[in-house]
Amino acid sequence: MWKKPLSLVVLLSSLLSGSCLLAAEPPPDRVVVMYFHRTLRCPTCLRMETYARQALQEAFAQQLQNGQVAFYSIDFQDERNARFTKVYRIVEPSLIVVKVVNNKGVEFKNLEEIWFKIRRQEEFLRYVQTEVAEYLPRTAQKTASR
């Protein structure tokens, strides 16, 4: 688990090469989910991204729309994304969840269990949803559980 603050302004502005589900003006406290993939992608890695998006869209549609949750797909082999590879210690396709407080990443978690759950879609979805919910501000958690 990582505790060093990271400026999300820098982070988000440099993610232009990845695809994103993000509101225009995100709140200062939110969760950023990043799926790091290779340039050349295998069917399993494509499925991981699809499942991650699905997990967020099913459980956090309103939070995605209002910016309390954001999703990025990032090519970790692209040299423009090298700083993220270093900060998050990315060496393989990975799903990273970042807790953002006052526009700074204060904590992150690599959801390594996605590799073991990829053949069980419902478990994969629940796992991602549970981990994201833990990082949401309390007011957003109440909204997500409705």
Side-chain angles (χ1 to χ4, degrees), residues 115-133:
W115 288 97
F116 305 109
K117 298 180 184 300
I118 191 63
R119 295 185 192 270
R120 297 181 307 275
Q121 182 178 2
E122 290 305 314
E123 284 183 39
F124 185 107
L125 298 178
R126 272 193 311 275
Y127 171 58
V128 171
Q129 291 165 348
T130 299
E131 295 295 334
V132 169

mmCIF file of all heavy atoms in Angstrom, residues 115-133:
data_model
loop_
_atom_site.group_PDB
_atom_site.id
_atom_site.type_symbol
_atom_site.label_atom_id
_atom_site.label_comp_id
_atom_site.label_asym_id
_atom_site.label_seq_id
_atom_site.Cartn_x
_atom_site.Cartn_y
_atom_site.Cartn_z
ATOM 1 N N TRP A 115 -6.199 -11.463 -11.605
ATOM 2 C CA TRP A 115 -5.612 -12.566 -12.371
ATOM 3 C C TRP A 115 -6.241 -13.901 -11.990
ATOM 4 O O TRP A 115 -6.363 -14.794 -12.829
ATOM 5 C CB TRP A 115 -4.100 -12.619 -12.153
ATOM 6 C CG TRP A 115 -3.395 -11.495 -12.838
ATOM 7 C CD1 TRP A 115 -2.990 -10.318 -12.282
ATOM 8 C CD2 TRP A 115 -3.055 -11.427 -14.221
ATOM 9 N NE1 TRP A 115 -2.406 -9.516 -13.240
ATOM 10 C CE2 TRP A 115 -2.425 -10.174 -14.441
ATOM 11 C CE3 TRP A 115 -3.210 -12.295 -15.291
ATOM 12 C CZ2 TRP A 115 -1.950 -9.778 -15.684
ATOM 13 C CZ3 TRP A 115 -2.738 -11.892 -16.543
ATOM 14 C CH2 TRP A 115 -2.120 -10.652 -16.718
ATOM 15 N N PHE A 116 -6.639 -14.055 -10.739
ATOM 16 C CA PHE A 116 -7.213 -15.317 -10.270
ATOM 17 C C PHE A 116 -8.718 -15.373 -10.483
ATOM 18 O O PHE A 116 -9.309 -16.435 -10.430
ATOM 19 C CB PHE A 116 -6.895 -15.521 -8.781
ATOM 20 C CG PHE A 116 -5.433 -15.447 -8.487
ATOM 21 C CD1 PHE A 116 -4.906 -14.363 -7.796
ATOM 22 C CD2 PHE A 116 -4.566 -16.439 -8.927
ATOM 23 C CE1 PHE A 116 -3.546 -14.278 -7.541
ATOM 24 C CE2 PHE A 116 -3.206 -16.364 -8.671
ATOM 25 C CZ PHE A 116 -2.697 -15.283 -7.978
ATOM 26 N N LYS A 117 -9.336 -14.228 -10.723
ATOM 27 C CA LYS A 117 -10.789 -14.164 -10.857
ATOM 28 C C LYS A 117 -11.249 -13.966 -12.303
ATOM 29 O O LYS A 117 -12.439 -13.908 -12.558
ATOM 30 C CB LYS A 117 -11.324 -13.029 -9.980
ATOM 31 C CG LYS A 117 -11.031 -13.247 -8.502
ATOM 32 C CD LYS A 117 -11.567 -12.130 -7.663
ATOM 33 C CE LYS A 117 -11.204 -12.275 -6.199
ATOM 34 N NZ LYS A 117 -11.681 -13.473 -5.552
ATOM 35 N N ILE A 118 -10.336 -13.880 -13.242
ATOM 36 C CA ILE A 118 -10.695 -13.559 -14.627
ATOM 37 C C ILE A 118 -11.612 -14.611 -15.259
ATOM 38 O O ILE A 118 -12.422 -14.293 -16.115
ATOM 39 C CB ILE A 118 -9.439 -13.312 -15.502
ATOM 40 C CG1 ILE A 118 -9.825 -12.717 -16.859
ATOM 41 C CG2 ILE A 118 -8.624 -14.594 -15.682
ATOM 42 C CD1 ILE A 118 -10.491 -11.370 -16.785
ATOM 43 N N ARG A 119 -11.551 -15.836 -14.806
ATOM 44 C CA ARG A 119 -12.420 -16.879 -15.360
ATOM 45 C C ARG A 119 -13.767 -16.966 -14.645
ATOM 46 O O ARG A 119 -14.622 -17.759 -15.021
ATOM 47 C CB ARG A 119 -11.717 -18.232 -15.302
ATOM 48 C CG ARG A 119 -10.495 -18.291 -16.191
ATOM 49 C CD ARG A 119 -9.892 -19.684 -16.205
ATOM 50 N NE ARG A 119 -8.581 -19.689 -16.809
ATOM 51 C CZ ARG A 119 -8.351 -19.869 -18.108
ATOM 52 N NH1 ARG A 119 -9.360 -20.036 -18.927
ATOM 53 N NH2 ARG A 119 -7.123 -19.860 -18.568
ATOM 54 N N ARG A 120 -13.938 -16.144 -13.608
ATOM 55 C CA ARG A 120 -15.193 -16.114 -12.847
ATOM 56 C C ARG A 120 -15.676 -14.666 -12.803
ATOM 57 O O ARG A 120 -15.372 -13.924 -11.873
ATOM 58 C CB ARG A 120 -14.969 -16.686 -11.448
ATOM 59 C CG ARG A 120 -14.553 -18.158 -11.487
ATOM 60 C CD ARG A 120 -14.339 -18.761 -10.116
ATOM 61 N NE ARG A 120 -13.418 -18.029 -9.251
ATOM 62 C CZ ARG A 120 -12.094 -18.164 -9.242
ATOM 63 N NH1 ARG A 120 -11.510 -19.000 -10.077
ATOM 64 N NH2 ARG A 120 -11.348 -17.475 -8.407
ATOM 65 N N GLN A 121 -16.412 -14.291 -13.825
ATOM 66 C CA GLN A 121 -16.793 -12.897 -14.043
ATOM 67 C C GLN A 121 -17.467 -12.267 -12.827
ATOM 68 O O GLN A 121 -17.117 -11.154 -12.435
ATOM 69 C CB GLN A 121 -17.705 -12.784 -15.263
ATOM 70 C CG GLN A 121 -18.107 -11.356 -15.578
ATOM 71 C CD GLN A 121 -18.970 -11.239 -16.807
ATOM 72 O OE1 GLN A 121 -19.326 -12.232 -17.427
ATOM 73 N NE2 GLN A 121 -19.315 -10.032 -17.164
ATOM 74 N N GLU A 122 -18.427 -12.941 -12.222
ATOM 75 C CA GLU A 122 -19.141 -12.356 -11.085
ATOM 76 C C GLU A 122 -18.206 -12.088 -9.914
ATOM 77 O O GLU A 122 -18.309 -11.056 -9.249
ATOM 78 C CB GLU A 122 -20.322 -13.243 -10.662
ATOM 79 C CG GLU A 122 -21.459 -13.250 -11.654
ATOM 80 C CD GLU A 122 -21.976 -11.849 -11.980
ATOM 81 O OE1 GLU A 122 -22.181 -11.035 -11.051
ATOM 82 O OE2 GLU A 122 -22.175 -11.557 -13.180
ATOM 83 N N GLU A 123 -17.276 -12.996 -9.654
ATOM 84 C CA GLU A 123 -16.291 -12.773 -8.584
ATOM 85 C C GLU A 123 -15.395 -11.587 -8.914
ATOM 86 O O GLU A 123 -15.061 -10.787 -8.041
ATOM 87 C CB GLU A 123 -15.433 -14.022 -8.368
ATOM 88 C CG GLU A 123 -16.138 -15.117 -7.619
ATOM 89 C CD GLU A 123 -15.215 -16.301 -7.357
ATOM 90 O OE1 GLU A 123 -14.023 -16.082 -7.047
ATOM 91 O OE2 GLU A 123 -15.697 -17.435 -7.486
ATOM 92 N N PHE A 124 -14.982 -11.497 -10.165
ATOM 93 C CA PHE A 124 -14.149 -10.384 -10.622
ATOM 94 C C PHE A 124 -14.880 -9.065 -10.379
ATOM 95 O O PHE A 124 -14.320 -8.127 -9.792
ATOM 96 C CB PHE A 124 -13.833 -10.565 -12.106
ATOM 97 C CG PHE A 124 -12.871 -9.554 -12.679
ATOM 98 C CD1 PHE A 124 -11.574 -9.924 -12.980
ATOM 99 C CD2 PHE A 124 -13.261 -8.249 -12.956
ATOM 100 C CE1 PHE A 124 -10.671 -9.011 -13.530
ATOM 101 C CE2 PHE A 124 -12.376 -7.329 -13.504
ATOM 102 C CZ PHE A 124 -11.077 -7.711 -13.787
ATOM 103 N N LEU A 125 -16.137 -8.993 -10.822
ATOM 104 C CA LEU A 125 -16.916 -7.764 -10.684
ATOM 105 C C LEU A 125 -17.081 -7.383 -9.216
ATOM 106 O O LEU A 125 -16.864 -6.223 -8.840
ATOM 107 C CB LEU A 125 -18.290 -7.912 -11.342
ATOM 108 C CG LEU A 125 -18.308 -8.186 -12.853
ATOM 109 C CD1 LEU A 125 -19.731 -8.368 -13.345
ATOM 110 C CD2 LEU A 125 -17.605 -7.110 -13.638
ATOM 111 N N ARG A 126 -17.457 -8.342 -8.374
ATOM 112 C CA ARG A 126 -17.642 -8.069 -6.940
ATOM 113 C C ARG A 126 -16.344 -7.590 -6.292
ATOM 114 O O ARG A 126 -16.345 -6.673 -5.470
ATOM 115 C CB ARG A 126 -18.154 -9.312 -6.208
ATOM 116 C CG ARG A 126 -19.660 -9.443 -6.191
ATOM 117 C CD ARG A 126 -20.127 -10.485 -5.201
ATOM 118 N NE ARG A 126 -19.431 -11.768 -5.303
ATOM 119 C CZ ARG A 126 -19.753 -12.739 -6.137
ATOM 120 N NH1 ARG A 126 -20.773 -12.594 -6.958
ATOM 121 N NH2 ARG A 126 -19.065 -13.858 -6.155
ATOM 122 N N TYR A 127 -15.244 -8.242 -6.641
ATOM 123 C CA TYR A 127 -13.942 -7.875 -6.095
ATOM 124 C C TYR A 127 -13.607 -6.416 -6.410
ATOM 125 O O TYR A 127 -13.267 -5.626 -5.518
ATOM 126 C CB TYR A 127 -12.873 -8.826 -6.655
ATOM 127 C CG TYR A 127 -11.450 -8.460 -6.361
ATOM 128 C CD1 TYR A 127 -10.983 -8.316 -5.060
ATOM 129 C CD2 TYR A 127 -10.542 -8.279 -7.398
ATOM 130 C CE1 TYR A 127 -9.654 -8.002 -4.806
ATOM 131 C CE2 TYR A 127 -9.208 -7.972 -7.152
ATOM 132 C CZ TYR A 127 -8.769 -7.832 -5.850
ATOM 133 O OH TYR A 127 -7.459 -7.517 -5.606
ATOM 134 N N VAL A 128 -13.735 -6.042 -7.670
ATOM 135 C CA VAL A 128 -13.432 -4.667 -8.076
ATOM 136 C C VAL A 128 -14.388 -3.697 -7.380
ATOM 137 O O VAL A 128 -13.967 -2.667 -6.835
ATOM 138 C CB VAL A 128 -13.482 -4.508 -9.611
ATOM 139 C CG1 VAL A 128 -13.378 -3.043 -10.025
ATOM 140 C CG2 VAL A 128 -12.380 -5.339 -10.265
ATOM 141 N N GLN A 129 -15.658 -4.009 -7.370
ATOM 142 C CA GLN A 129 -16.648 -3.121 -6.759
ATOM 143 C C GLN A 129 -16.387 -2.931 -5.262
ATOM 144 O O GLN A 129 -16.472 -1.815 -4.748
ATOM 145 C CB GLN A 129 -18.059 -3.667 -7.000
ATOM 146 C CG GLN A 129 -18.455 -3.577 -8.456
ATOM 147 C CD GLN A 129 -19.662 -4.421 -8.815
ATOM 148 O OE1 GLN A 129 -20.120 -5.268 -8.035
ATOM 149 N NE2 GLN A 129 -20.187 -4.211 -10.012
ATOM 150 N N THR A 130 -16.030 -3.998 -4.576
ATOM 151 C CA THR A 130 -15.745 -3.923 -3.141
ATOM 152 C C THR A 130 -14.528 -3.048 -2.872
ATOM 153 O O THR A 130 -14.539 -2.196 -1.973
ATOM 154 C CB THR A 130 -15.522 -5.329 -2.560
ATOM 155 O OG1 THR A 130 -16.721 -6.091 -2.748
ATOM 156 C CG2 THR A 130 -15.179 -5.283 -1.089
ATOM 157 N N GLU A 131 -13.473 -3.245 -3.657
ATOM 158 C CA GLU A 131 -12.245 -2.475 -3.451
ATOM 159 C C GLU A 131 -12.457 -0.990 -3.763
ATOM 160 O O GLU A 131 -11.954 -0.130 -3.037
ATOM 161 C CB GLU A 131 -11.111 -3.041 -4.308
ATOM 162 C CG GLU A 131 -10.695 -4.447 -3.921
ATOM 163 C CD GLU A 131 -10.093 -4.560 -2.529
ATOM 164 O OE1 GLU A 131 -9.535 -3.565 -2.011
ATOM 165 O OE2 GLU A 131 -10.166 -5.653 -1.948
ATOM 166 N N VAL A 132 -13.196 -0.680 -4.801
ATOM 167 C CA VAL A 132 -13.468 0.718 -5.143
ATOM 168 C C VAL A 132 -14.332 1.352 -4.050
ATOM 169 O O VAL A 132 -14.070 2.476 -3.616
ATOM 170 C CB VAL A 132 -14.130 0.832 -6.531
ATOM 171 C CG1 VAL A 132 -14.650 2.250 -6.783
ATOM 172 C CG2 VAL A 132 -13.140 0.422 -7.613
ATOM 173 N N ALA A 133 -15.355 0.644 -3.587
ATOM 174 C CA ALA A 133 -16.249 1.176 -2.547
ATOM 175 C C ALA A 133 -15.485 1.530 -1.278
ATOM 176 O O ALA A 133 -15.812 2.508 -0.599
ATOM 177 C CB ALA A 133 -17.357 0.174 -2.247
#
